[in-house]
Amino acid sequence: MTCAVRGSGGGWWCAGVRWPGEVPELGWSRGGRRRVSVLAYGAGLGFRAVGERHCVGARGNVCPLGSVVPGRSTGGRCAECARLDRAHSVAADTMADDPRTYRVYLAWFGPGLVKVGITGEERGAARLREQGAVAFSWLGRGPLMAARRTEEVLRAALGVPDRIPYARKRVERGHLPDTDERAAEVAELYARAAALEGRGWPESLERLPLEVVDQVGIFGLGRATETETETEAESGPVPLPVSAPVRAVRELVDGGVVAGRLVAAAGPDLHLAVTGGGVVVLDTRLITGWDLAAESGSDVRVPLIDIGGGGVQGGLF
């Protein structure tokens, strides 16, 4: 797949990856208009950054200042728009009278890497896909403040966070245990959470039964790509797992090119098999606010950094 593009004269801006269903999409905006490009595993994806990166605005509104934002910012917003966006989010606790039903979930990202959170019931599992949760289970449903209270109780009692850095998630995706082990860890955490019912658990929150949902297949993780890497083994080339990317795009710059074959996606991350072998992760939060032009090349030519925390590879474009 080739990215939808916008011209440097004021065309389409990329809004990053969205997960309205079980297939990832790239969102695009131009003024008040919106469109999406459905992504397909195995298809090509390539683009070139043009000009400067601008603030994406807040809550669907264009930044009134047209501010330029840093290339490494995953938020893609200027300080003022970031403040406005945060002020109207569920996490800000400014919506106590919200009449909608919310769900509390337990999300698993890797061995020992779990979190508790809440999401609007009408969104289904979209929030879990947006975060790149490899497996999850619903825990309860009810009013916003009851869901928020339960979230706080579980974080304190179970010793789990409400936020996990994406860099940590990427590392864990490279060596996931099998499906049964993933499900067992979610089930164990669910049992500990359910045992708290009646001890700080709000009465207005209905507990939901355990049902572990595994998203490895949705994300395309664990499959072997057609890309092969040479080894010294007598058997010759072996498939390179898409779940073991070794590098990640650090930032885009004017003229920087990203191109490859999409082999997996999780949360905001796209896993691209590039020419010469290897899988590179592109965090699409880094491409929001950029003017993108189509690129038919077959390699990634932007600054890269080792996912495991090693040295930086730069000047590749």
Side-chain angles (χ1 to χ4, degrees), residues 267-279:
D269 291 347
L270 301 182
H271 294 212
L272 301 173
V274 301
T275 299
V279 175

PDB file of all heavy atoms in Angstrom, residues 267-279:
ATOM      1  N   GLY A 267      -0.925  -1.074  18.378  1.00  0.00           N
ATOM      2  CA  GLY A 267      -1.056   0.273  18.900  1.00  0.00           C
ATOM      3  C   GLY A 267      -0.742   1.275  17.808  1.00  0.00           C
ATOM      4  O   GLY A 267      -1.234   1.162  16.681  1.00  0.00           O
ATOM      5  N   PRO A 268       0.120   2.260  18.076  1.00  0.00           N
ATOM      6  CA  PRO A 268       0.494   3.228  17.050  1.00  0.00           C
ATOM      7  C   PRO A 268       1.655   2.762  16.185  1.00  0.00           C
ATOM      8  O   PRO A 268       2.059   3.464  15.260  1.00  0.00           O
ATOM      9  CB  PRO A 268       0.915   4.441  17.876  1.00  0.00           C
ATOM     10  CG  PRO A 268       1.536   3.827  19.099  1.00  0.00           C
ATOM     11  CD  PRO A 268       0.691   2.606  19.391  1.00  0.00           C
ATOM     12  N   ASP A 269       2.205   1.594  16.477  1.00  0.00           N
ATOM     13  CA  ASP A 269       3.412   1.115  15.807  1.00  0.00           C
ATOM     14  C   ASP A 269       3.108   0.324  14.541  1.00  0.00           C
ATOM     15  O   ASP A 269       2.253  -0.569  14.540  1.00  0.00           O
ATOM     16  CB  ASP A 269       4.228   0.217  16.736  1.00  0.00           C
ATOM     17  CG  ASP A 269       4.861   0.989  17.886  1.00  0.00           C
ATOM     18  OD1 ASP A 269       4.869   2.228  17.824  1.00  0.00           O
ATOM     19  OD2 ASP A 269       5.335   0.332  18.830  1.00  0.00           O
ATOM     20  N   LEU A 270       3.856   0.638  13.473  1.00  0.00           N
ATOM     21  CA  LEU A 270       3.838  -0.163  12.262  1.00  0.00           C
ATOM     22  C   LEU A 270       5.175  -0.878  12.146  1.00  0.00           C
ATOM     23  O   LEU A 270       6.231  -0.259  12.295  1.00  0.00           O
ATOM     24  CB  LEU A 270       3.629   0.724  11.027  1.00  0.00           C
ATOM     25  CG  LEU A 270       2.345   1.555  10.982  1.00  0.00           C
ATOM     26  CD1 LEU A 270       2.276   2.343   9.671  1.00  0.00           C
ATOM     27  CD2 LEU A 270       1.105   0.688  11.156  1.00  0.00           C
ATOM     28  N   HIS A 271       5.155  -2.181  11.893  1.00  0.00           N
ATOM     29  CA  HIS A 271       6.374  -2.966  11.730  1.00  0.00           C
ATOM     30  C   HIS A 271       6.622  -3.123  10.233  1.00  0.00           C
ATOM     31  O   HIS A 271       5.808  -3.728   9.523  1.00  0.00           O
ATOM     32  CB  HIS A 271       6.226  -4.348  12.373  1.00  0.00           C
ATOM     33  CG  HIS A 271       6.093  -4.304  13.862  1.00  0.00           C
ATOM     34  ND1 HIS A 271       6.583  -5.305  14.685  1.00  0.00           N
ATOM     35  CD2 HIS A 271       5.533  -3.389  14.692  1.00  0.00           C
ATOM     36  CE1 HIS A 271       6.328  -5.006  15.950  1.00  0.00           C
ATOM     37  NE2 HIS A 271       5.680  -3.852  15.973  1.00  0.00           N
ATOM     38  N   LEU A 272       7.744  -2.591   9.764  1.00  0.00           N
ATOM     39  CA  LEU A 272       8.056  -2.589   8.337  1.00  0.00           C
ATOM     40  C   LEU A 272       9.280  -3.448   8.036  1.00  0.00           C
ATOM     41  O   LEU A 272      10.345  -3.239   8.616  1.00  0.00           O
ATOM     42  CB  LEU A 272       8.319  -1.162   7.859  1.00  0.00           C
ATOM     43  CG  LEU A 272       7.181  -0.142   8.055  1.00  0.00           C
ATOM     44  CD1 LEU A 272       7.667   1.256   7.689  1.00  0.00           C
ATOM     45  CD2 LEU A 272       5.974  -0.527   7.235  1.00  0.00           C
ATOM     46  N   ALA A 273       9.105  -4.410   7.130  1.00  0.00           N
ATOM     47  CA  ALA A 273      10.242  -5.185   6.644  1.00  0.00           C
ATOM     48  C   ALA A 273      10.914  -4.348   5.561  1.00  0.00           C
ATOM     49  O   ALA A 273      10.260  -3.912   4.615  1.00  0.00           O
ATOM     50  CB  ALA A 273       9.770  -6.520   6.077  1.00  0.00           C
ATOM     51  N   VAL A 274      12.209  -4.105   5.715  1.00  0.00           N
ATOM     52  CA  VAL A 274      12.909  -3.209   4.798  1.00  0.00           C
ATOM     53  C   VAL A 274      13.906  -3.977   3.940  1.00  0.00           C
ATOM     54  O   VAL A 274      14.308  -5.097   4.257  1.00  0.00           O
ATOM     55  CB  VAL A 274      13.645  -2.087   5.577  1.00  0.00           C
ATOM     56  CG1 VAL A 274      12.654  -1.285   6.393  1.00  0.00           C
ATOM     57  CG2 VAL A 274      14.735  -2.658   6.470  1.00  0.00           C
ATOM     58  N   THR A 275      14.299  -3.368   2.850  1.00  0.00           N
ATOM     59  CA  THR A 275      15.250  -3.967   1.927  1.00  0.00           C
ATOM     60  C   THR A 275      16.552  -4.301   2.645  1.00  0.00           C
ATOM     61  O   THR A 275      17.066  -3.505   3.423  1.00  0.00           O
ATOM     62  CB  THR A 275      15.540  -3.000   0.764  1.00  0.00           C
ATOM     63  OG1 THR A 275      14.324  -2.745   0.075  1.00  0.00           O
ATOM     64  CG2 THR A 275      16.557  -3.608  -0.198  1.00  0.00           C
ATOM     65  N   GLY A 276      17.078  -5.479   2.389  1.00  0.00           N
ATOM     66  CA  GLY A 276      18.316  -5.888   3.030  1.00  0.00           C
ATOM     67  C   GLY A 276      18.079  -6.748   4.255  1.00  0.00           C
ATOM     68  O   GLY A 276      19.019  -7.267   4.852  1.00  0.00           O
ATOM     69  N   GLY A 277      16.808  -6.909   4.643  1.00  0.00           N
ATOM     70  CA  GLY A 277      16.484  -7.743   5.792  1.00  0.00           C
ATOM     71  C   GLY A 277      16.347  -6.938   7.064  1.00  0.00           C
ATOM     72  O   GLY A 277      17.003  -5.916   7.270  1.00  0.00           O
ATOM     73  N   GLY A 278      15.478  -7.361   7.916  1.00  0.00           N
ATOM     74  CA  GLY A 278      15.263  -6.675   9.177  1.00  0.00           C
ATOM     75  C   GLY A 278      13.900  -6.004   9.217  1.00  0.00           C
ATOM     76  O   GLY A 278      13.290  -5.725   8.189  1.00  0.00           O
ATOM     77  N   VAL A 279      13.434  -5.776  10.430  1.00  0.00           N
ATOM     78  CA  VAL A 279      12.142  -5.138  10.650  1.00  0.00           C
ATOM     79  C   VAL A 279      12.351  -3.874  11.467  1.00  0.00           C
ATOM     80  O   VAL A 279      13.010  -3.892  12.502  1.00  0.00           O
ATOM     81  CB  VAL A 279      11.165  -6.090  11.372  1.00  0.00           C
ATOM     82  CG1 VAL A 279       9.856  -5.376  11.708  1.00  0.00           C
ATOM     83  CG2 VAL A 279      10.894  -7.317  10.512  1.00  0.00           C
TER      84      VAL A 279
END
